[in-house]
Amino acid sequence: MHVGIIMDGNGRWATSRGLARLVGHKRGASRVKDIVKNSPNLGVTTLTLYAFSTENWKRAAHEVEGLMKLFRGYMQNNLLELHDKNVRVRFLGDATPLAQDIRLQMEQLSGLTKDNTGLNLNIAINYGGRDEIIRATRSIAAKVLDGTLSVDAITEGTICDHMDTREQADPDLIIRTAGELRLSNFMIWQSAYSELMFPNVSWPDFTAEVYAECLEEFAGRVRRFGNADSN
Ligand code: FPP
């Protein structure tokens, strides 16, 4: 079971309490730790977290820097524990514009955990679904140009194989916290048949109990993948 989460509402959670937005992000980071820890018990085998979008660079510089600091802290503080818990960490998105030290930490974390067989944790940083499709298209086009791929051989599978999620199943469920009813460029290729859920809590209030309730509601959904009704 693959769950994707759009962790929204940190800023509103903080400002509605008279706190700085970064306080909300900080609390959000502690939710990440808890939700990762609880995923295997709830039957989740792959968890994809949307941590920073290609559009998030437009935020105030101090908020972007604060988020980068949280990513550094998360990777530093959780590297050994994630490995110890058999979690395999991968990153989705274009790492190129990220600071060198963050890229090194990302490589270290994904390298250290690459043979782990427990939870698959994907962290999407500087990720956008459209950007991912552009990057995939470029690498497919390059193969066509150099003659290693013919145009007629391009299938749905070819596209999947060039996405950041290659070799991974599509998300069964996508959860977006804090009430907005949209995907905002998250896994737009992979979400074709995903169930969507919009719990009415901000990410800093997304506890393991709320997570378990979402999975329980998901278990009651009937998925047809485009087939006719088969009750
Ligand atoms: C959206 O809330 C949240 C983000 C842009 C950042 C998500 C980051 C974290 C939860 C922190 C750390 C993550 C990791 C992986 C360690 P928002 O700021 O858009 O909230 P708003 O819509 O209320 O303003």
PDB file of all heavy atoms in Angstrom, residues 188-219:
ATOM      1  N   ILE A 188       1.264  14.001 -10.471  1.00  0.00           N
ATOM      2  CA  ILE A 188       0.127  14.110 -11.394  1.00  0.00           C
ATOM      3  C   ILE A 188       0.066  12.963 -12.413  1.00  0.00           C
ATOM      4  O   ILE A 188      -1.005  12.633 -12.889  1.00  0.00           O
ATOM      5  CB  ILE A 188       0.079  15.488 -12.098  1.00  0.00           C
ATOM      6  CG1 ILE A 188       1.421  15.823 -12.724  1.00  0.00           C
ATOM      7  CG2 ILE A 188      -0.358  16.574 -11.118  1.00  0.00           C
ATOM      8  CD1 ILE A 188       1.394  17.137 -13.498  1.00  0.00           C
ATOM      9  N   TRP A 189       1.200  12.345 -12.693  1.00  0.00           N
ATOM     10  CA  TRP A 189       1.180  11.160 -13.575  1.00  0.00           C
ATOM     11  C   TRP A 189       0.755   9.921 -12.788  1.00  0.00           C
ATOM     12  O   TRP A 189      -0.085   9.136 -13.221  1.00  0.00           O
ATOM     13  CB  TRP A 189       2.583  10.955 -14.191  1.00  0.00           C
ATOM     14  CG  TRP A 189       2.794   9.606 -14.831  1.00  0.00           C
ATOM     15  CD1 TRP A 189       3.323   8.491 -14.249  1.00  0.00           C
ATOM     16  CD2 TRP A 189       2.461   9.229 -16.168  1.00  0.00           C
ATOM     17  NE1 TRP A 189       3.342   7.431 -15.140  1.00  0.00           N
ATOM     18  CE2 TRP A 189       2.820   7.866 -16.325  1.00  0.00           C
ATOM     19  CE3 TRP A 189       1.899   9.899 -17.268  1.00  0.00           C
ATOM     20  CZ2 TRP A 189       2.643   7.180 -17.528  1.00  0.00           C
ATOM     21  CZ3 TRP A 189       1.719   9.201 -18.458  1.00  0.00           C
ATOM     22  CH2 TRP A 189       2.087   7.866 -18.584  1.00  0.00           C
ATOM     23  N   GLN A 190       1.316   9.778 -11.588  1.00  0.00           N
ATOM     24  CA  GLN A 190       1.135   8.552 -10.797  1.00  0.00           C
ATOM     25  C   GLN A 190      -0.242   8.492 -10.126  1.00  0.00           C
ATOM     26  O   GLN A 190      -0.659   7.435  -9.659  1.00  0.00           O
ATOM     27  CB  GLN A 190       2.204   8.475  -9.701  1.00  0.00           C
ATOM     28  CG  GLN A 190       3.642   8.381 -10.194  1.00  0.00           C
ATOM     29  CD  GLN A 190       4.282   9.748 -10.429  1.00  0.00           C
ATOM     30  OE1 GLN A 190       3.597  10.755 -10.586  1.00  0.00           O
ATOM     31  NE2 GLN A 190       5.594   9.776 -10.462  1.00  0.00           N
ATOM     32  N   SER A 191      -0.956   9.622 -10.043  1.00  0.00           N
ATOM     33  CA  SER A 191      -2.198   9.670  -9.260  1.00  0.00           C
ATOM     34  C   SER A 191      -3.446   9.346 -10.089  1.00  0.00           C
ATOM     35  O   SER A 191      -4.560   9.501  -9.598  1.00  0.00           O
ATOM     36  CB  SER A 191      -2.368  11.054  -8.639  1.00  0.00           C
ATOM     37  OG  SER A 191      -2.495  12.020  -9.667  1.00  0.00           O
ATOM     38  N   ALA A 192      -3.253   8.872 -11.337  1.00  0.00           N
ATOM     39  CA  ALA A 192      -4.395   8.650 -12.236  1.00  0.00           C
ATOM     40  C   ALA A 192      -5.530   7.869 -11.574  1.00  0.00           C
ATOM     41  O   ALA A 192      -6.705   8.179 -11.772  1.00  0.00           O
ATOM     42  CB  ALA A 192      -3.917   7.948 -13.501  1.00  0.00           C
ATOM     43  N   TYR A 193      -5.199   6.859 -10.770  1.00  0.00           N
ATOM     44  CA  TYR A 193      -6.244   6.048 -10.132  1.00  0.00           C
ATOM     45  C   TYR A 193      -6.158   6.070  -8.608  1.00  0.00           C
ATOM     46  O   TYR A 193      -6.740   5.215  -7.928  1.00  0.00           O
ATOM     47  CB  TYR A 193      -6.196   4.608 -10.656  1.00  0.00           C
ATOM     48  CG  TYR A 193      -6.642   4.543 -12.097  1.00  0.00           C
ATOM     49  CD1 TYR A 193      -5.716   4.451 -13.124  1.00  0.00           C
ATOM     50  CD2 TYR A 193      -7.991   4.658 -12.428  1.00  0.00           C
ATOM     51  CE1 TYR A 193      -6.107   4.450 -14.456  1.00  0.00           C
ATOM     52  CE2 TYR A 193      -8.405   4.661 -13.751  1.00  0.00           C
ATOM     53  CZ  TYR A 193      -7.470   4.552 -14.755  1.00  0.00           C
ATOM     54  OH  TYR A 193      -7.870   4.554 -16.064  1.00  0.00           O
ATOM     55  N   SER A 194      -5.459   7.060  -8.068  1.00  0.00           N
ATOM     56  CA  SER A 194      -5.338   7.136  -6.606  1.00  0.00           C
ATOM     57  C   SER A 194      -6.651   7.599  -5.990  1.00  0.00           C
ATOM     58  O   SER A 194      -7.350   8.443  -6.550  1.00  0.00           O
ATOM     59  CB  SER A 194      -4.251   8.143  -6.207  1.00  0.00           C
ATOM     60  OG  SER A 194      -3.028   7.816  -6.806  1.00  0.00           O
ATOM     61  N   GLU A 195      -6.929   7.075  -4.814  1.00  0.00           N
ATOM     62  CA  GLU A 195      -8.033   7.610  -4.015  1.00  0.00           C
ATOM     63  C   GLU A 195      -7.525   8.887  -3.349  1.00  0.00           C
ATOM     64  O   GLU A 195      -6.351   8.975  -2.966  1.00  0.00           O
ATOM     65  CB  GLU A 195      -8.433   6.599  -2.928  1.00  0.00           C
ATOM     66  CG  GLU A 195      -9.068   5.350  -3.472  1.00  0.00           C
ATOM     67  CD  GLU A 195     -10.442   5.607  -4.100  1.00  0.00           C
ATOM     68  OE1 GLU A 195     -11.231   6.393  -3.519  1.00  0.00           O
ATOM     69  OE2 GLU A 195     -10.717   5.032  -5.172  1.00  0.00           O
ATOM     70  N   LEU A 196      -8.407   9.866  -3.215  1.00  0.00           N
ATOM     71  CA  LEU A 196      -8.007  11.144  -2.621  1.00  0.00           C
ATOM     72  C   LEU A 196      -8.746  11.344  -1.304  1.00  0.00           C
ATOM     73  O   LEU A 196      -9.909  10.953  -1.166  1.00  0.00           O
ATOM     74  CB  LEU A 196      -8.341  12.296  -3.578  1.00  0.00           C
ATOM     75  CG  LEU A 196      -7.790  12.159  -5.005  1.00  0.00           C
ATOM     76  CD1 LEU A 196      -8.213  13.358  -5.850  1.00  0.00           C
ATOM     77  CD2 LEU A 196      -6.272  12.038  -5.000  1.00  0.00           C
ATOM     78  N   MET A 197      -8.054  11.928  -0.342  1.00  0.00           N
ATOM     79  CA  MET A 197      -8.684  12.163   0.971  1.00  0.00           C
ATOM     80  C   MET A 197      -8.211  13.496   1.536  1.00  0.00           C
ATOM     81  O   MET A 197      -7.032  13.838   1.430  1.00  0.00           O
ATOM     82  CB  MET A 197      -8.289  11.031   1.904  1.00  0.00           C
ATOM     83  CG  MET A 197      -9.343  10.742   2.944  1.00  0.00           C
ATOM     84  SD  MET A 197      -8.954   9.247   3.823  1.00  0.00           S
ATOM     85  CE  MET A 197      -9.544   7.980   2.710  1.00  0.00           C
ATOM     86  N   PHE A 198      -9.148  14.226   2.105  1.00  0.00           N
ATOM     87  CA  PHE A 198      -8.847  15.578   2.576  1.00  0.00           C
ATOM     88  C   PHE A 198      -9.277  15.756   4.028  1.00  0.00           C
ATOM     89  O   PHE A 198     -10.279  16.408   4.311  1.00  0.00           O
ATOM     90  CB  PHE A 198      -9.552  16.604   1.674  1.00  0.00           C
ATOM     91  CG  PHE A 198      -9.163  16.490   0.226  1.00  0.00           C
ATOM     92  CD1 PHE A 198      -9.953  15.754  -0.674  1.00  0.00           C
ATOM     93  CD2 PHE A 198      -8.002  17.079  -0.241  1.00  0.00           C
ATOM     94  CE1 PHE A 198      -9.585  15.638  -2.014  1.00  0.00           C
ATOM     95  CE2 PHE A 198      -7.629  16.962  -1.569  1.00  0.00           C
ATOM     96  CZ  PHE A 198      -8.426  16.237  -2.457  1.00  0.00           C
ATOM     97  N   PRO A 199      -8.549  15.162   4.965  1.00  0.00           N
ATOM     98  CA  PRO A 199      -8.929  15.309   6.372  1.00  0.00           C
ATOM     99  C   PRO A 199      -8.846  16.771   6.794  1.00  0.00           C
ATOM    100  O   PRO A 199      -7.973  17.506   6.338  1.00  0.00           O
ATOM    101  CB  PRO A 199      -7.883  14.466   7.112  1.00  0.00           C
ATOM    102  CG  PRO A 199      -6.721  14.393   6.196  1.00  0.00           C
ATOM    103  CD  PRO A 199      -7.267  14.428   4.798  1.00  0.00           C
ATOM    104  N   ASN A 200      -9.772  17.155   7.679  1.00  0.00           N
ATOM    105  CA  ASN A 200      -9.875  18.558   8.036  1.00  0.00           C
ATOM    106  C   ASN A 200      -8.966  18.950   9.206  1.00  0.00           C
ATOM    107  O   ASN A 200      -9.417  19.574  10.157  1.00  0.00           O
ATOM    108  CB  ASN A 200     -11.353  18.858   8.358  1.00  0.00           C
ATOM    109  CG  ASN A 200     -11.664  20.311   8.133  1.00  0.00           C
ATOM    110  OD1 ASN A 200     -10.844  21.039   7.568  1.00  0.00           O
ATOM    111  ND2 ASN A 200     -12.821  20.756   8.604  1.00  0.00           N
ATOM    112  N   VAL A 201      -7.711  18.560   9.140  1.00  0.00           N
ATOM    113  CA  VAL A 201      -6.750  18.983  10.157  1.00  0.00           C
ATOM    114  C   VAL A 201      -5.502  19.512   9.449  1.00  0.00           C
ATOM    115  O   VAL A 201      -5.196  19.104   8.333  1.00  0.00           O
ATOM    116  CB  VAL A 201      -6.300  17.830  11.095  1.00  0.00           C
ATOM    117  CG1 VAL A 201      -7.416  17.333  11.963  1.00  0.00           C
ATOM    118  CG2 VAL A 201      -5.666  16.682  10.309  1.00  0.00           C
ATOM    119  N   SER A 202      -4.816  20.421  10.114  1.00  0.00           N
ATOM    120  CA  SER A 202      -3.550  20.918   9.574  1.00  0.00           C
ATOM    121  C   SER A 202      -2.487  19.843   9.784  1.00  0.00           C
ATOM    122  O   SER A 202      -2.609  19.014  10.687  1.00  0.00           O
ATOM    123  CB  SER A 202      -3.114  22.171  10.328  1.00  0.00           C
ATOM    124  OG  SER A 202      -4.070  23.168  10.131  1.00  0.00           O
ATOM    125  N   TRP A 203      -1.410  19.927   8.991  1.00  0.00           N
ATOM    126  CA  TRP A 203      -0.359  18.910   9.133  1.00  0.00           C
ATOM    127  C   TRP A 203       0.202  18.844  10.559  1.00  0.00           C
ATOM    128  O   TRP A 203       0.407  17.747  11.085  1.00  0.00           O
ATOM    129  CB  TRP A 203       0.745  19.128   8.077  1.00  0.00           C
ATOM    130  CG  TRP A 203       1.857  18.155   8.248  1.00  0.00           C
ATOM    131  CD1 TRP A 203       3.119  18.423   8.685  1.00  0.00           C
ATOM    132  CD2 TRP A 203       1.795  16.729   8.054  1.00  0.00           C
ATOM    133  NE1 TRP A 203       3.845  17.260   8.757  1.00  0.00           N
ATOM    134  CE2 TRP A 203       3.048  16.210   8.374  1.00  0.00           C
ATOM    135  CE3 TRP A 203       0.768  15.858   7.625  1.00  0.00           C
ATOM    136  CZ2 TRP A 203       3.338  14.848   8.302  1.00  0.00           C
ATOM    137  CZ3 TRP A 203       1.052  14.495   7.553  1.00  0.00           C
ATOM    138  CH2 TRP A 203       2.312  14.001   7.891  1.00  0.00           C
ATOM    139  N   PRO A 204       0.409  19.993  11.255  1.00  0.00           N
ATOM    140  CA  PRO A 204       0.943  19.871  12.626  1.00  0.00           C
ATOM    141  C   PRO A 204       0.016  19.118  13.582  1.00  0.00           C
ATOM    142  O   PRO A 204       0.447  18.679  14.646  1.00  0.00           O
ATOM    143  CB  PRO A 204       1.111  21.329  13.074  1.00  0.00           C
ATOM    144  CG  PRO A 204       1.289  22.083  11.792  1.00  0.00           C
ATOM    145  CD  PRO A 204       0.370  21.393  10.817  1.00  0.00           C
ATOM    146  N   ASP A 205      -1.260  18.960  13.208  1.00  0.00           N
ATOM    147  CA  ASP A 205      -2.204  18.203  14.049  1.00  0.00           C
ATOM    148  C   ASP A 205      -2.502  16.822  13.490  1.00  0.00           C
ATOM    149  O   ASP A 205      -3.434  16.144  13.942  1.00  0.00           O
ATOM    150  CB  ASP A 205      -3.521  18.989  14.192  1.00  0.00           C
ATOM    151  CG  ASP A 205      -3.365  20.194  15.114  1.00  0.00           C
ATOM    152  OD1 ASP A 205      -2.490  20.148  16.000  1.00  0.00           O
ATOM    153  OD2 ASP A 205      -4.115  21.170  14.932  1.00  0.00           O
ATOM    154  N   PHE A 206      -1.754  16.392  12.473  1.00  0.00           N
ATOM    155  CA  PHE A 206      -2.006  15.088  11.848  1.00  0.00           C
ATOM    156  C   PHE A 206      -1.313  14.011  12.690  1.00  0.00           C
ATOM    157  O   PHE A 206      -0.149  13.684  12.512  1.00  0.00           O
ATOM    158  CB  PHE A 206      -1.480  15.086  10.408  1.00  0.00           C
ATOM    159  CG  PHE A 206      -1.927  13.912   9.591  1.00  0.00           C
ATOM    160  CD1 PHE A 206      -3.173  13.897   8.971  1.00  0.00           C
ATOM    161  CD2 PHE A 206      -1.098  12.800   9.412  1.00  0.00           C
ATOM    162  CE1 PHE A 206      -3.579  12.817   8.196  1.00  0.00           C
ATOM    163  CE2 PHE A 206      -1.506  11.716   8.644  1.00  0.00           C
ATOM    164  CZ  PHE A 206      -2.743  11.730   8.037  1.00  0.00           C
ATOM    165  N   THR A 207      -2.066  13.473  13.625  1.00  0.00           N
ATOM    166  CA  THR A 207      -1.512  12.475  14.543  1.00  0.00           C
ATOM    167  C   THR A 207      -1.592  11.075  13.941  1.00  0.00           C
ATOM    168  O   THR A 207      -2.266  10.854  12.918  1.00  0.00           O
ATOM    169  CB  THR A 207      -2.333  12.463  15.844  1.00  0.00           C
ATOM    170  OG1 THR A 207      -3.687  12.166  15.474  1.00  0.00           O
ATOM    171  CG2 THR A 207      -2.277  13.792  16.577  1.00  0.00           C
ATOM    172  N   ALA A 208      -0.973  10.124  14.629  1.00  0.00           N
ATOM    173  CA  ALA A 208      -1.054   8.728  14.196  1.00  0.00           C
ATOM    174  C   ALA A 208      -2.509   8.245  14.208  1.00  0.00           C
ATOM    175  O   ALA A 208      -2.897   7.407  13.389  1.00  0.00           O
ATOM    176  CB  ALA A 208      -0.185   7.862  15.100  1.00  0.00           C
ATOM    177  N   GLU A 209      -3.334   8.798  15.115  1.00  0.00           N
ATOM    178  CA  GLU A 209      -4.760   8.407  15.178  1.00  0.00           C
ATOM    179  C   GLU A 209      -5.493   8.877  13.922  1.00  0.00           C
ATOM    180  O   GLU A 209      -6.269   8.135  13.321  1.00  0.00           O
ATOM    181  CB  GLU A 209      -5.442   9.009  16.421  1.00  0.00           C
ATOM    182  CG  GLU A 209      -5.036   8.383  17.745  1.00  0.00           C
ATOM    183  CD  GLU A 209      -3.607   8.742  18.184  1.00  0.00           C
ATOM    184  OE1 GLU A 209      -3.162   9.882  17.918  1.00  0.00           O
ATOM    185  OE2 GLU A 209      -2.932   7.865  18.765  1.00  0.00           O
ATOM    186  N   VAL A 210      -5.250  10.136  13.519  1.00  0.00           N
ATOM    187  CA  VAL A 210      -5.909  10.658  12.304  1.00  0.00           C
ATOM    188  C   VAL A 210      -5.449   9.842  11.094  1.00  0.00           C
ATOM    189  O   VAL A 210      -6.258   9.490  10.221  1.00  0.00           O
ATOM    190  CB  VAL A 210      -5.597  12.165  12.102  1.00  0.00           C
ATOM    191  CG1 VAL A 210      -6.295  12.698  10.859  1.00  0.00           C
ATOM    192  CG2 VAL A 210      -5.971  12.980  13.324  1.00  0.00           C
ATOM    193  N   TYR A 211      -4.174   9.502  11.062  1.00  0.00           N
ATOM    194  CA  TYR A 211      -3.599   8.701   9.974  1.00  0.00           C
ATOM    195  C   TYR A 211      -4.320   7.341   9.912  1.00  0.00           C
ATOM    196  O   TYR A 211      -4.767   6.903   8.842  1.00  0.00           O
ATOM    197  CB  TYR A 211      -2.118   8.519  10.292  1.00  0.00           C
ATOM    198  CG  TYR A 211      -1.234   7.900   9.218  1.00  0.00           C
ATOM    199  CD1 TYR A 211      -1.552   7.940   7.870  1.00  0.00           C
ATOM    200  CD2 TYR A 211      -0.021   7.303   9.589  1.00  0.00           C
ATOM    201  CE1 TYR A 211      -0.697   7.385   6.922  1.00  0.00           C
ATOM    202  CE2 TYR A 211       0.836   6.748   8.641  1.00  0.00           C
ATOM    203  CZ  TYR A 211       0.497   6.786   7.314  1.00  0.00           C
ATOM    204  OH  TYR A 211       1.341   6.246   6.369  1.00  0.00           O
ATOM    205  N   ALA A 212      -4.479   6.720  11.080  1.00  0.00           N
ATOM    206  CA  ALA A 212      -5.148   5.409  11.131  1.00  0.00           C
ATOM    207  C   ALA A 212      -6.596   5.536  10.655  1.00  0.00           C
ATOM    208  O   ALA A 212      -7.103   4.657   9.939  1.00  0.00           O
ATOM    209  CB  ALA A 212      -5.091   4.850  12.547  1.00  0.00           C
ATOM    210  N   GLU A 213      -7.274   6.642  11.008  1.00  0.00           N
ATOM    211  CA  GLU A 213      -8.663   6.850  10.553  1.00  0.00           C
ATOM    212  C   GLU A 213      -8.725   6.974   9.030  1.00  0.00           C
ATOM    213  O   GLU A 213      -9.636   6.449   8.389  1.00  0.00           O
ATOM    214  CB  GLU A 213      -9.234   8.132  11.181  1.00  0.00           C
ATOM    215  CG  GLU A 213      -9.720   7.944  12.615  1.00  0.00           C
ATOM    216  CD  GLU A 213      -9.917   9.284  13.336  1.00  0.00           C
ATOM    217  OE1 GLU A 213     -10.150  10.304  12.645  1.00  0.00           O
ATOM    218  OE2 GLU A 213      -9.805   9.292  14.576  1.00  0.00           O
ATOM    219  N   CYS A 214      -7.761   7.671   8.460  1.00  0.00           N
ATOM    220  CA  CYS A 214      -7.733   7.826   6.990  1.00  0.00           C
ATOM    221  C   CYS A 214      -7.593   6.448   6.326  1.00  0.00           C
ATOM    222  O   CYS A 214      -8.271   6.149   5.332  1.00  0.00           O
ATOM    223  CB  CYS A 214      -6.555   8.694   6.560  1.00  0.00           C
ATOM    224  SG  CYS A 214      -6.737  10.428   6.964  1.00  0.00           S
ATOM    225  N   LEU A 215      -6.715   5.613   6.882  1.00  0.00           N
ATOM    226  CA  LEU A 215      -6.485   4.293   6.282  1.00  0.00           C
ATOM    227  C   LEU A 215      -7.703   3.396   6.447  1.00  0.00           C
ATOM    228  O   LEU A 215      -8.019   2.584   5.563  1.00  0.00           O
ATOM    229  CB  LEU A 215      -5.231   3.667   6.881  1.00  0.00           C
ATOM    230  CG  LEU A 215      -3.954   4.434   6.516  1.00  0.00           C
ATOM    231  CD1 LEU A 215      -2.755   3.886   7.255  1.00  0.00           C
ATOM    232  CD2 LEU A 215      -3.700   4.386   5.013  1.00  0.00           C
ATOM    233  N   GLU A 216      -8.401   3.590   7.555  1.00  0.00           N
ATOM    234  CA  GLU A 216      -9.624   2.817   7.777  1.00  0.00           C
ATOM    235  C   GLU A 216     -10.693   3.221   6.757  1.00  0.00           C
ATOM    236  O   GLU A 216     -11.351   2.370   6.159  1.00  0.00           O
ATOM    237  CB  GLU A 216     -10.131   3.124   9.180  1.00  0.00           C
ATOM    238  CG  GLU A 216     -10.957   2.012   9.799  1.00  0.00           C
ATOM    239  CD  GLU A 216     -11.234   2.334  11.257  1.00  0.00           C
ATOM    240  OE1 GLU A 216     -10.251   2.508  12.019  1.00  0.00           O
ATOM    241  OE2 GLU A 216     -12.414   2.455  11.601  1.00  0.00           O
ATOM    242  N   GLU A 217     -10.813   4.535   6.528  1.00  0.00           N
ATOM    243  CA  GLU A 217     -11.782   5.016   5.531  1.00  0.00           C
ATOM    244  C   GLU A 217     -11.396   4.514   4.134  1.00  0.00           C
ATOM    245  O   GLU A 217     -12.243   4.084   3.355  1.00  0.00           O
ATOM    246  CB  GLU A 217     -11.836   6.549   5.552  1.00  0.00           C
ATOM    247  CG  GLU A 217     -12.897   7.098   4.605  1.00  0.00           C
ATOM    248  CD  GLU A 217     -12.926   8.628   4.561  1.00  0.00           C
ATOM    249  OE1 GLU A 217     -12.573   9.281   5.568  1.00  0.00           O
ATOM    250  OE2 GLU A 217     -13.321   9.145   3.489  1.00  0.00           O
ATOM    251  N   PHE A 218     -10.106   4.495   3.848  1.00  0.00           N
ATOM    252  CA  PHE A 218      -9.622   4.012   2.551  1.00  0.00           C
ATOM    253  C   PHE A 218     -10.016   2.545   2.341  1.00  0.00           C
ATOM    254  O   PHE A 218     -10.420   2.143   1.249  1.00  0.00           O
ATOM    255  CB  PHE A 218      -8.101   4.154   2.453  1.00  0.00           C
ATOM    256  CG  PHE A 218      -7.513   3.459   1.260  1.00  0.00           C
ATOM    257  CD1 PHE A 218      -7.555   4.040   0.002  1.00  0.00           C
ATOM    258  CD2 PHE A 218      -6.939   2.195   1.386  1.00  0.00           C
ATOM    259  CE1 PHE A 218      -7.038   3.382  -1.111  1.00  0.00           C
ATOM    260  CE2 PHE A 218      -6.423   1.527   0.287  1.00  0.00           C
ATOM    261  CZ  PHE A 218      -6.469   2.128  -0.967  1.00  0.00           C
ATOM    262  N   ALA A 219      -9.925   1.767   3.405  1.00  0.00           N
ATOM    263  CA  ALA A 219     -10.225   0.327   3.301  1.00  0.00           C
ATOM    264  C   ALA A 219     -11.679   0.109   2.874  1.00  0.00           C
ATOM    265  O   ALA A 219     -12.004  -0.923   2.273  1.00  0.00           O
ATOM    266  CB  ALA A 219      -9.949  -0.355   4.637  1.00  0.00           C
TER     267      ALA A 219
END
